[in-house]
C-alpha cells in the first residue's frame, strides 16, 4: 500500500506523482508503472536499481552482509538444517514439522528416477561436451515428458513440477558426469540421503561397493544449502521472465541453467579454481592482484565482487569455515587453499578492493571444497545449478501464484536510425 509519494518534475514542471511502496525490509520502491502515461521510461541497463517483482522468498542486505530465506538467517540454516529442509522452507514459506519434513523427503526420494528415454538424449553429445551444456539440453528435454497435461495455473501441479525438478536434477547431473567419463549411469538409491545419493550416482561403479563418506556428504549438503537461492539474481530473473509468458517450467529451468553458466555468475566457481591453479604459488599472488587492478587488463579476480554485497557475502563466511573443516577432516593439505587465503588477505588489504568493496563471494571457497570432495572442475557449476533449482522453481511458483501477474516486457532507449527512405536494390 502506498503511504508516501515521489514527485517527478522536469525543468521545474511537475510531471508525475509516483507512489512509494514499502516492503517488510530493505529499500522502499518507487512505483513507476504509470510513468509511460507521461511519455517517459526509466533507464536501468543491468537493473542496478530496479525491483522487478514483489517476493517473500529471500532477503539480502548487501551493506550488512545479510541473507535470509523466508526470514531464517543463512548461517543458521547452513549449520542447523539440511538441504531438503531448506527446499521445503523456500517452497512453502515456513520450517516443516517433523511429519511435514518426512513426507517431503519421501516425495523427493520417490521422484529421483528419470524416464529411461531421457537417458538417450546424452548419446547425442560429443564425449567432451561440457556438463553444463548437457544439463541445459537434458533439462530442457524434460519439457517434452511433462507438458501436454500440465496446467501451471493449478498450484498442486506447480508443486509437483517443483518436486520432480528437485528430485531429478541430481540424477541428471550425475548422468552428465558419467557420460563425460564414459562410465555407466548409476540409478538413485532410496535408502540414501539427498547428498549421499548424488555422491553415489557420481562416484559409484557397478564393479564394486561405494561407501559415501559422512564428512563428504555433510559438506555436499551444506554446499547445496549455501547455493539454494539468492533473490533476483541473473538466472532467477531469467527463469521468472521465461515463466512470465506461461512457458513450460522445465524449459524455464533450462533457461536458468544457461544463464547461471556464465563466468560472471555461477560459472565463477569453475573460473575461480582455474584462476587459483593459474596463480599456482604464493609468490605470484601480487602479480595477479595487480592485473585485476589494471584497467587495460580484462583479468578479474574470480570469486570476488558482487552486485549486491558490498560487504562479506555471508555464504562465503560459512563456506570458508566449511572449507577448513573439510580439508582438516579429510586430511587434505591443498596448496590452492594457501593461495586462496593469501589472495583473500592481499585483496582485502588492498585500497583498490577496499574502495570498490570487492569481497570474496560464494564462489570463492566453494571450488576448493568441491575439489577436495572429488568433484571435477567442469562439474562445479552443475552442482551450483542443482542447488539453485529449488530457488528458481520457488520464484517461478511465487510469480504464477500472484494475482495480476503479467508477461515481462521491458522497453528501451532507442538510439538507432529513424524514418529512412528505403531505396530498392535495383536502384541503389
Ligand atoms: C554469483 O546476483 C547474485 O546474487 C549472484 C550470486 C547468486 O547466488 O546467484 O551471488 C552468484 O554470481 C556471484 C558472483 C560470481 N562472479 C564472480 O566472482 C566473477 C568476478 N566478479 C565480477 O565479474 C563482478 O564483481 C560481478 C559480475 C560479480 C559484479 O559486477 P557488477 O556489480 O556489475 O560490478 P562491476 O562489474 O561494474 O564492477 C564494479 C567495479 C569495476 O571497476 P570500475 O569500472 O568501477 O573502475 O569493480 C571492479 C570493476 O572493474 N570489479 C573487479 C571485480 N569485480 C568488479 N575488479 C577486479 N576483480 C573483480 N572480481
Amino acid at each position: 500500500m502506498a503511504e508516501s509519494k515521489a514527485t517527478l518534475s522536469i525543468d521545474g514542471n511537475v510531471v508525475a506523482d509516483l507512489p512509494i511502496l514499502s516492503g517488510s525490509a530493505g529499500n522502499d520502491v518507487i512505483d513507476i508503472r504509470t510513468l509511460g502515461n507521461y511519455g517517459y521510461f526509466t533507464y536501468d541497463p543491468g537493473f542496478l536499481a530496479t525491483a522487478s517483482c514483489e517476493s517473500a522468498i529471500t532477503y539480502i542486505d548487501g551493506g550488512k552482509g545479510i541473507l535470509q530465506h523466508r526470514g531464517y538467517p543463512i548461517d543458521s540454516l547452513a549449520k542447523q538444517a539440511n538441504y531438503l529442509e531448506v527446499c521445503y522452507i523456500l517452497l512453502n514459506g515456513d520450517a516443516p514439522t517433523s511429519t511435514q519434513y518426512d513426507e517431503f523427503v519421501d516425495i523427493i526420494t520417490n521422484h529421483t528416477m528419470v524416464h529411461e528415454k531421457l537417458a538417450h538424449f546424452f548419446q547425442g553429445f560429443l564425449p567432451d561436451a561440457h556438463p553444463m551444456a548437457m544439463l541445459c539440453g537434458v533439462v530442457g528435454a524434460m519439457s517434452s515428458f511433462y507438458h501436454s497435461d500440465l496446467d501451471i495455473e493449478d498450484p498442486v501441479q506447480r508443486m509437483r513440477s517443483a518436486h520432480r525438478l528437485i528430485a531429478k536434477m541430481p540424477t541428471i547431473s550425475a548422468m552428465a558426469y558419467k557420460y563425460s567419463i564414459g562410465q555407466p549411469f548409476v540409478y538413485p538409491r532410496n535408502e540414501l540421503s539427498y547428498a549421499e545419493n548424488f555422491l553415489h550416482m557420481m562416484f559409484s561403479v557397478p564393479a564394486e561397493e561405494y561407501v559415501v563418506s559422512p564428512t563428504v556428504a555433510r559438506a555436499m549438503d551444506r554446499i547445496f544449502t549455501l547455493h539454494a537461492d539468492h533473490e533476483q539474481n541473473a538466472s532467477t530473473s531469467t527463469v521468472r521472465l521465461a515463466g512470465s509468458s506461461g512457458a513450460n517450467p522445465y524449459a524455464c529451468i533450462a533457461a536458468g541453467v544457461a544463464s547461471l553458466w556464465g563466468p560472471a555468475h555461477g560459472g565463477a566457481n569453475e573460473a575461480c579454481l582455474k584462476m587459483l591453479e593459474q596463480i599456482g604459488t604464493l609468490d605470484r599472488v601480487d602479480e595477479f592482484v595487480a592485473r585485476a587492478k589494471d584497467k587495460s587488463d580484462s583479468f578479474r579476480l574470480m570469486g570476488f565482487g558482487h552486485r549486491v554485497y558490498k560487504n562479506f557475502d555471508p555464504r562465503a563466511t560459512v563456506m570458508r569455515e566449511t572449507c577448513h573443516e573439510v580439508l582438516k577432516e579429510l586430511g587434505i593439505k591443498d596448496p590452492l587453499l594457501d593461495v586462496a587465503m593469501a589472495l583473500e588477505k592481499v585483496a582485502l588489504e588492498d585500497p583498490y578492493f577496499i574502495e570498490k568493496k570487492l569481497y570474496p563471494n560464494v564462489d570463492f571457497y566453494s571450488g576448493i571444497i568441491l575439489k577436495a570432495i572429488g568433484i571435477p572442475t567442469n562439474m562445479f557449476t552443475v552442482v551450483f545449478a542443482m542447488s539453485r533449482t529449488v530457488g528458481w522453481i520457488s520464484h517461478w511458483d511465487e510469480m504464477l501464484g500472484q494475482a495480476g501477474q503479467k508477461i515481462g516486457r521491458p522497453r528501451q532507449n532507442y538510439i538507432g536510425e529513424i524514418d529512412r527512405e528505403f531505396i530498392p536494390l535495383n536502384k541503389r
Side-chain angles (χ1 to χ4, degrees):
M1 180 60 190
E3 288 152 9
S4 52
K5 65 181 181 181
T7 298
L8 175 66
S9 62
I10 296 176
D11 299 332
N13 304 313
V14 174
V15 169
D17 281 333
L18 301 169
I20 290 182
L21 309 177
S22 299
S24 46
N27 291 3
D28 285 350
V29 296
I30 300 173
D31 183 343
I32 56 157
R33 284 175 287 185
T34 59
L35 199 56
N37 303 336
Y38 301 96
Y40 291 93
F41 294 144
T42 58
Y43 181 63
D44 187 15
F47 310 120
L48 287 146
T50 293
S52 61
C53 62
E54 285 190 331
S55 179
I57 297 174
T58 289
Y59 174 65
I60 301 172
D61 181 319
K64 296 176 184 164
I66 290 172
L67 166 57
Q68 298 180 356
H69 293 318
R70 301 288 190 178
Y72 301 110
I74 187 60
D75 52 349
S76 303
L77 294 174
K79 293 173 183 171
Q80 300 173 55
N82 66 38
Y83 177 69
L84 283 188
E85 221 174 327
V86 172
C87 287
Y88 182 97
I89 289 168
L90 288 167
L91 281 170
N92 297 288
D94 299 303
T97 63
S98 54
T99 304
Q100 288 168 330
Y101 172 74
D102 291 344
E103 287 168 356
F104 184 71
V105 170
D106 192 54
I107 290 170
I108 300 300
T109 301
N110 287 288
H111 280 83
T112 48
M113 285 178 70
V114 296
H115 193 292
E116 279 298 296
K117 288 280 186 197
L118 197 74
H120 294 290
F121 282 94
F122 286 93
Q123 302 314 319
F125 294 115
L126 293 175
D128 64 348
H130 194 290
M132 280 298 280
M134 293 192 257
L135 189 69
C136 198
V138 175
V139 171
M142 282 177 79
S143 60
S144 70
F145 290 78
Y146 309 105
H147 184 72
S148 53
D149 58 352
L150 176 57
D151 173 9
I152 61 173
E153 297 306 318
D154 176 358
V156 173
Q157 293 189 50
R158 290 204 300 269
M159 196 54 81
R160 189 179 305 134
S161 301
H163 294 158
R164 277 196 179 116
L165 279 157
I166 293 166
K168 297 179 192 307
M169 284 300 270
T171 310
I172 295 169
S173 300
M175 290 168 86
Y177 172 60
K178 285 302 198 187
Y179 183 80
S180 70
I181 59 172
Q183 286 187 358
F185 298 144
V186 175
Y187 286 98
R189 305 275 319 162
N190 288 356
E191 75 275 13
L192 298 177
S193 71
Y194 192 86
E196 288 169 343
N197 218 349
F198 172 62
L199 291 164
H200 185 262
M201 290 187 284
M202 280 282 290
F203 299 123
S204 73
V205 290
E208 59 189 30
E209 275 304 300
Y210 174 81
V211 179
V212 180
S213 147
T215 300
V216 171
R218 198 168 51 249
M220 192 79 260
D221 191 85
R222 184 172 288 182
I223 284 200
F224 289 156
T225 293
L226 291 170
H227 289 81
D229 188 51
H230 210 241
E231 199 214 56
Q232 306 307 324
N233 58 86
S235 53
T236 299
S237 299
T238 299
V239 171
R240 277 180 173 262
L241 194 55
S244 71
S245 72
N248 179 291
Y250 302 89
C252 294
I253 297 300
V257 172
S259 172
L260 186 77
W261 192 3
H265 190 9
N269 54 18
E270 177 178 357
C272 182
L273 198 88
K274 285 179 177 166
M275 174 192 72
L276 293 174
E277 288 166 345
Q278 188 186 0
I279 296 172
T281 53
L282 293 172
D283 61 338
R284 297 191 67 199
V285 166
D286 289 339
E287 170 197 338
F288 281 83
V289 170
R291 282 188 58 191
K293 292 155 56 176
D294 178 357
K295 280 294 164 211
S296 64
D297 190 331
S298 62
F299 174 79
R300 283 194 166 181
L301 288 184
M302 303 317 281
F304 277 80
H306 199 278
R307 170 62 56 77
V308 176
Y309 290 122
K310 299 311 173 189
N311 194 315
F312 247 85
D313 179 335
R315 300 167 296 175
T317 307
V318 179
M319 201 75 87
R320 189 176 195 264
E321 290 167 23
T322 306
C323 195
H324 286 289
E325 282 167 24
V326 169
L327 292 182
K328 185 168 178 234
E329 285 186 33
L330 294 178
I332 295 174
K333 182 94 178 80
D334 188 341
L336 291 184
L337 178 63
D338 299 334
V339 173
M341 297 290 288
L343 188 60
E344 182 192 45
K345 185 174 185 307
V346 169
L348 295 185
E349 291 169 359
D350 186 297
Y352 176 90
F353 286 83
I354 294 168
E355 177 213 324
K356 293 191 185 295
K357 301 183 185 304
L358 300 176
Y359 293 89
N361 58 43
V362 69
D363 294 297
F364 186 64
Y365 282 98
S366 59
I368 298 168
I369 303 173
L370 290 170
K371 177 173 177 282
I373 58 183
I375 305 284
T377 308
N378 68 0
M379 281 289 293
F380 287 7
T381 312
V382 170
V383 169
F384 195 153
M386 265 175 54
S387 319
R388 185 52 59 87
T389 294
V390 64
W392 291 332
I393 203 70
S394 298
H395 282 274
W396 171 80
D397 178 57
E398 179 182 61
M399 173 183 69
L400 291 175
Q402 285 174 336
Q405 181 261 328
K406 288 180 177 299
I407 187 170
R409 207 293 186 199
R411 299 303 302 273
Q412 64 182 6
N413 182 33
Y414 180 68
I415 57 172
E417 301 284 345
I418 201 75
D419 297 337
R420 299 167 78 180
E421 182 191 358
F422 181 72
I423 311 297
L425 186 58
N426 59 9
K427 293 184 178 168
R428 265 182 267 160

